[in-house]
Amino acid sequence: MNKYEIVDNKIDTIRKQQLSILNNVVAICNKHGLTYFLDGGTLAGAIIYGGFGKYDDDIDISMPREDFEKFLAVCQDELLPNNYLEYYTTTADFSLTFAKVKNRLVNYPEKYRPNHALSHVFIDIFPLDGIRKDGGIKTSIIIFLNDIMKKMIFMRNSTKKKTGIKTVYMYLLRLIKTEYLFKIYYFLFARESNSAYFTNHGGRRKERKNQVLKREYYFPVKKMLFMGSYYNVPFFPERAITTCNKQYINRYIEKKTFSHIDIERL
């Protein structure tokens, strides 16, 4: 078996475990009447391939904030024995503003981490926060402040390699407890309910940096095939991932590398 076949087999093992995690999360959502959607690259893969694209190395789902918080409250008692939640409420010095559900049986070496730092295979769960208006100065200010808060939390706690001024900034931020940063984050960005618009703050990056979506793009929920099973997707799935950048689908198709996994350390 050559090197490429070995990598393909390991990626296949990771994807099977990610699907197992997804199915565990979906079962919990269905039991408690919680809404979720395939999102990001996972949604693009469902639209184009009915499953993973060649260089997909994670699974993304999103939930309206209210459902996200309810999921956090119930999931730890209902996740399968080797699955576990990572969020700031469960994990010291958590660096992200969305949650992960991981499986401790399968290692997942992430890019740009120290060689000794091994994570576990995961899926990402993003909260969809209400936002009052699509466009305008108020929306721009909210997005700008949110980006600052996300960077503060990430810089304080991330294990990614840092040098120079970033290291100094990290130590200064560590004078503030993570829970206090999240309290500010929730106060500023997680209180808007029944808005006509959603934004996925945790997933707003690169071409989706300024993405604000109409709630009507998501409801009513419909089903789409992904790797042989049907999962929830937005009612207008293409709009949910191309509103900010019409080339998102093309870029996804043309992707030539894995986003997160360090294949040299598989």
Side-chain angles (χ1 to χ4, degrees), residues 103-115:
N103 179 278
R104 59 176 53 89
L105 297 182
V106 180
N107 286 333
Y108 186 104
E110 293 190 64
K111 290 180 178 179
Y112 315 119
R113 263 58 174 192
N115 288 337

Side-chain angles (χ1 to χ4, degrees), residues 41-75:
T42 307
L43 180 55
I47 293 169
I48 300 164
Y49 304 114
F52 289 108
K54 182 176 181 180
Y55 291 102
D56 286 342
D57 55 6
D58 68 346
I59 287 178
D60 299 326
I61 68 172
S62 59
M63 299 180 184
R65 171 64 73 172
E66 183 178 359
D67 295 284
F68 176 83
E69 297 298 332
K70 289 178 180 177
F71 176 81
L72 298 182
V74 301
C75 73

